[in-house]
Amino acid sequence: MGGGAATTDDNAAGRSPSPRDAADPTVGACEEGEVCAVEWTGSAKALRRREVLTRRSALTADDVRVNARRLAERAAALPELAGARTVAAYVSVGREPGTRPLLEELRERGVRVLLPVLLPDDDLDWAAYAGPDALARAGRGLQEPTGTRLGRDAVTGCDAVLLPGLAVDDDGIRLGRGGGSYDRVLARLAAAGADPALVVLLYDGEVPAEVPVEPHDRPVTAAVTPSAVHRFAAAGDGG
């Protein structure tokens, strides 16, 4: 996949350890001097997810709050969000990069914000965000909007889509949590010919990272961390 990351940053983002590590049994051996492709497997994806989640588990509640404010400032300044009329987003939970300050910033600007409602088949419906008092606890510890459901295809009318994730590589490929909900969202966007900006919110050190790549993966437009905005050329050249 062509392209690479262009970064605007205050502090250089750290890089995750390479998967070419003797401790990683999923990496195949190669002859000296040979350029080896890493053969990612399901267990390698699980390993990468565990690494990120373990790092996040060390964050305090104050860490999450401070980073959420910084993320909101950077993300709100993105041209793709500054000019958006409708944005699909999500409510962060636990030690995920916080989205609540950004949701409020967008709503106060008059942006229509759609939030996901998890369906029994793990696909996503959508409803408009009407403020923190219009959220209700749902299954799996999620917070979901209480308003009228708009249907699975509502996301196709958005100018930008905020995606949860654990890491993004140099080409803009996102590592998700593994449930497949947002893979369906991205497939739905592609099928509808929709081309919203795709933005992932991460912590510093989670981009650029080594990410297992599969044929269906679609590069994102940008990844935002508390200290940087990373843009990806691959998202604009058809992959």
Side-chain angles (χ1 to χ4, degrees):
M1 183 173 297
T7 306
T8 304
D9 123 284
D10 295 336
N11 300 312
R15 180 182 290 275
S16 297
S18 169
R20 293 180 175 85
D21 189 302
D24 185 345
T26 65
V27 177
C30 61
E31 297 296 327
E32 183 176 357
E34 180 183 355
V35 178
C36 295
V38 177
E39 183 177 351
W40 291 99
T41 67
S43 60
K45 282 190 169 184
L47 176 62
R48 182 65 74 233
R49 291 186 179 108
R50 285 197 299 271
E51 289 172 351
V52 176
L53 292 172
T54 297
R55 288 195 297 270
R56 288 185 178 182
S57 71
L59 296 171
T60 66
D62 283 342
D63 292 332
V64 175
R65 281 193 293 270
V66 169
N67 281 300
R69 290 195 297 270
R70 292 174 178 168
L71 276 169
E73 291 172 1
R74 287 200 178 275
L78 289 175
E80 293 88 350
L81 295 187
R85 293 171 296 177
T86 304
V87 173
Y90 62 96
V91 182
S92 58
V93 295
R95 292 179 174 85
E96 281 187 309
T99 63
R100 290 176 186 254
L102 179 57
L103 296 181
E104 280 302 289
E105 170 70 19
L106 292 173
R107 188 170 75 98
E108 289 171 6
R109 287 183 187 177
V111 176
R112 184 172 184 245
V113 178
L114 304 187
L115 296 179
V117 177
L118 186 65
L119 299 173
D121 64 356
D122 287 338
D123 205 344
L124 299 178
D125 202 334
W126 301 88
Y129 177 55
D133 293 336
L135 295 174
R137 183 174 296 277
R140 305 185 194 179
L142 300 175
Q143 293 282 321
E144 295 181 342
T146 57
T148 302
R149 295 188 181 185
L150 305 173
R152 305 180 196 214
D153 291 333
V155 69
T156 63
C158 291
D159 302 303
V161 178
L162 301 183
L163 304 167
L166 297 174
V168 170
D169 73 6
D170 282 309
D171 288 320
I173 299 300
R174 177 187 67 99
L175 177 65
R177 295 293 291 265
S181 297
Y182 279 89
D183 288 334
R184 298 188 191 189
V185 170
L186 295 175
R188 186 165 290 120
L189 292 172
D195 189 28
L198 304 176
V199 179
V200 182
L201 303 180
L202 298 170
Y203 289 113
D204 293 316
E206 294 176 352
V207 54
E210 297 282 356
V211 172
V213 180
E214 297 186 75
H216 66 266
D217 287 329
R218 178 179 176 184
V220 300
T221 308
V224 181
T225 73
S227 67
V229 174
H230 306 256
R231 293 188 172 277
F232 305 98
D237 64 14

